[in-house]
Amino acid sequence: MNEIKLGKKISEGKTVDVYESGDLAVKVFKPDAPKTVVFYEAFMDSKVEETGLNVPKIKEVELIDGKWAIATELIKGKTLAQIMQEEPENCDGYLDDMVELQLSIHAKKVTGISKLKDKLREEIESLDVIDHIKRYDLLTRLDSTPKHVKLCHGNFGPENIVVTDDNKVYIVDWIGASAGNASADVAKTYLKLALTSTETAEKYLNLFCKKTNTAKTYVQEWLPIMAASTLAKGVTSKEEKDLLFTWLDVVDYS
Ligand SMILES: Nc1ncnc2c1ncn2[C@@H]1O[C@H](COP(=O)(O)OP(=O)(O)OP(=O)(O)O)[C@@H](O)[C@H]1O
Ligand SMILES: [Mg+2]
């Protein structure tokens, strides 16, 4: 195995920094990252690779200066978030592409991975910033949702989509993926988009509902659950926390 030498930093995140290294993108975990998290991410990457979806192929998992790192194919391009920022006038078209891409994920079934409902139950049970009544409300709501086993990305948004110059589209960041209900996945994306613009989030949701003939209320029912899940994962900005708290309130949309 050749020793990996890190080049330019592509991205700096909460739990990882991503570097270029020749034709590889190297995701370097922070020193305190548990080994299980690193290997779980590598496992999820390989599981998704097997579906045939356009994802960067995983090449190596190794220690670099005492830190765990996952090396994948380097996708030379820009994130859809960058592109949308550069071309706000084309945002509607890009939202449409985003929904189509997410539908191609939901069309896949992957066995042997976590079930979304199990993960959500654990997250709600662990969330200590809500009282027991709210927790009971959320768990009851979760229990009443239908059992689906579609592949869900879990953190689908423009920053996790990389587009090459010749318009090939790749989806990255699969650690939160699971088998579950597409509407839950869509509610999560809605919350991510709403952090920047409620108008964009609404447009996205309307597009998804139109394309899939889904009632909007069906997705909205998931919003408090997905807000709780996001809070349980740990949110750093006060702005995001405040917004998620407003979505936590169990609202009857029907
Ligand atoms: N294979 C790749 N090729 C090119 N760029 C990549 C590749 N993998 C990741 N990136 C870039 O690095 C960014 C961060 O990677 P990723 O989304 O996997 O981690 P993250 O969101 O920073 O994780 P966390 O928030 O947990 O720290 C992506 O948004 C993308 O711009
Ligand atoms: Mg990401």
Side-chain angles (χ1 to χ4, degrees), residues 2-35:
N2 293 326
E3 202 182 311
I4 289 180
K5 286 205 173 58
L6 301 177
K8 198 180 96 188
K9 195 186 266 185
I10 309 175
S11 146
E12 207 170 297
K14 207 165 57 182
T15 54
V16 299
D17 294 327
V18 182
Y19 297 84
E20 280 186 15
S21 174
D23 54 3
L24 298 175
V26 186
K27 197 163 174 172
V28 182
F29 287 75
K30 306 280 161 152
D32 57 349
K35 202 191 249 181

Side-chain angles (χ1 to χ4, degrees), residues 2-215:
N2 293 326
E3 202 182 311
I4 289 180
K5 286 205 173 58
L6 301 177
K8 198 180 96 188
K9 195 186 266 185
I10 309 175
S11 146
E12 207 170 297
K14 207 165 57 182
T15 54
V16 299
D17 294 327
V18 182
Y19 297 84
E20 280 186 15
S21 174
D23 54 3
L24 298 175
V26 186
K27 197 163 174 172
V28 182
F29 287 75
K30 306 280 161 152
D32 57 349
K35 202 191 249 181
T36 44
V37 168
V38 180
F39 282 82
Y40 182 76
E41 175 147 357
F43 165 74
M44 283 311 303
D45 284 350
S46 355
K47 273 291 198 184
V48 176
E49 202 179 303
E50 281 176 358
T51 66
L53 282 168
N54 232 10
V55 298
K57 288 196 170 43
I58 187 161
K59 299 290 184 186
E60 290 174 29
V61 180
E62 67 177 277
L63 275 169
I64 301 177
D65 295 333
K67 289 182 265 187
W68 282 105
I70 299 177
T72 59
E73 279 178 308
L74 174 68
I75 310 304
K76 288 202 177 91
K78 290 179 186 175
T79 65
L80 188 63
Q82 276 172 281
I83 298 173
M84 284 169 111
Q85 217 167 29
E86 288 167 9
E87 304 170 29
E89 68 282 9
N90 297 328
C91 200
D92 290 6
Y94 289 130
L95 280 178
D96 200 282
D97 296 344
M98 228 181 90
V99 173
E100 290 294 338
L101 192 61
Q102 196 168 15
L103 292 178
S104 73
I105 300 174
H106 296 158
K108 303 288 182 189
K109 277 206 177 77
V110 181
T111 54
I113 62 170
S114 304
K115 302 267 186 307
L116 180 57
K117 269 177 103 164
D118 293 345
K119 284 172 70 161
L120 293 171
R121 192 172 301 108
E122 271 176 34
E123 284 165 350
I124 294 168
E125 280 167 355
S126 76
L127 191 60
D128 54 11
V129 292
I130 52 172
D131 60 28
H132 68 279
I133 300 170
K134 185 146 284 172
R135 188 171 300 117
Y136 180 78
D137 267 351
L138 292 169
L139 289 171
T140 310
R141 182 180 286 250
L142 179 65
D143 274 344
S144 71
T145 60
K147 275 202 185 84
H148 287 180
V149 288
K150 291 177 173 166
L151 177 61
C152 295
H153 181 282
N155 197 14
F156 189 77
E159 80 289 358
N160 286 326
I161 300 166
V162 185
V163 186
T164 65
D165 292 341
D166 53 355
N167 274 325
K168 276 213 183 98
V169 180
Y170 289 81
I171 314 154
V172 301
D173 208 356
W174 289 94
I175 193 161
S178 59
N181 194 308
S183 289
D185 202 42
V186 169
K188 170 72 191 188
T189 304
Y190 177 93
L191 291 177
K192 283 165 69 71
L193 292 173
L195 192 59
T196 329
S197 156
T198 316
E199 195 194 333
T200 307
E202 280 293 317
K203 274 186 185 167
Y204 156 81
L205 181 54
N206 289 336
L207 276 170
F208 172 82
C209 290
K210 202 166 160 205
K211 281 179 195 288
T212 57
N213 205 13
T214 303

